[in-house]
Structure formats: C-alpha cells, structure tokens
Amino acid sequence: MTKVILVDNGITFDSILLRERPFGGAEVAFVSLVEHLAKIKMEVVVYNNCKNKGLINGVNWKKLDDFSLEKEQCDVFIVNRGDKYLSYKKDCKNRIFWIHNPANYLLKFRYLFKLFFGDFKITKIFCDCISLI
C-alpha cells in the first residue's frame, strides 16, 4: 500500500471542521484530495493544526506538534503551501510542494533558496503544483 504524508502548518482545519463551517478553497481542495487518496486505498497521514485527531474518513489526522517525520517512512511526501517543511524527507523519492497561489508566488528568497539549493529537481509544473524529486 502506498503511504502518503501531507504537512500543512497553516490554519486549523480537518475533515470534521470542513463540514461544520465554511473554509477557503485551499482547505477544501486539501481535504478533498486526502479523502480521495484514502478511498483509492492509500494510507494517508496528515500533520497539521487539526482540531480533531485520529482516523476520519480514512485519513489519519495528527497534530503538527506531534510531527515525527524522521521516524515515519512514506512513499509520497506533500508539503502544502508553506516552506517550513521543504527540507524534510530528502530521502523520499516523491516529494511534492503543493501551492495554491500563482506560481510567481515562489519568487521569494525563502522558497527559491530551498527549492534550488536544497538538492531539489523540479520535474513538472501542473496547475500550480510542483513535484520535487
């Protein structure tokens, strides 16, 4: 089974909160993606500022404070929006930096430095999603 880990250090959200109140498009897209990956039999673990922890709709939601990525192995590592975790899991073959803004958003030193001087190879750009190996 393919294991996917996603990390988001933004606002508080999870599958339950998303159904209780309105959220932005990035949060809706994130929850839709992780729940769909779980439906197609992938093991999905999310580290974020969730209110509700545990297995929800097939997705294992964990608090970002409990982030123990060095211990967890995965096949795919996805960093959502922020640059804080771009330097993690360099040994993972499938690393993705998912941005929700236009790609010129990356033209900031904090992104460029980590993307181009952190042993990343940009393999494709599609719908503002950059896949890094």
Side-chain angles (χ1 to χ4, degrees), residues 76-92:
V76 181
F77 179 63
I78 301 174
V79 177
N80 190 48
R81 293 189 283 198
D83 65 309
K84 183 175 181 178
Y85 295 98
L86 283 178
S87 59
Y88 281 77
K89 292 310 282 177
K90 290 187 178 182
D91 60 333
C92 184

Side-chain angles (χ1 to χ4, degrees), residues 67-84:
F67 190 60
S68 60
L69 191 56
E70 292 81 19
K71 299 175 187 175
E72 259 190 279
Q73 297 298 316
C74 63
D75 301 298
V76 181
F77 179 63
I78 301 174
V79 177
N80 190 48
R81 293 189 283 198
D83 65 309
K84 183 175 181 178

Side-chain angles (χ1 to χ4, degrees), residues 17-54:
L17 283 179
L18 190 78
R19 288 163 175 85
E20 292 178 349
R21 63 178 202 207
F23 277 93
E27 293 78 26
V28 172
F30 186 95
V31 172
S32 296
L33 174 67
V34 298
E35 289 184 355
H36 180 75
L37 292 175
K39 281 182 186 176
I40 61 171
K41 305 299 181 207
M42 291 189 181
E43 180 182 354
V44 182
V45 179
V46 172
Y47 283 96
N48 77 339
N49 295 312
C50 59
K51 180 179 177 185
N52 301 287
K53 296 189 324 181

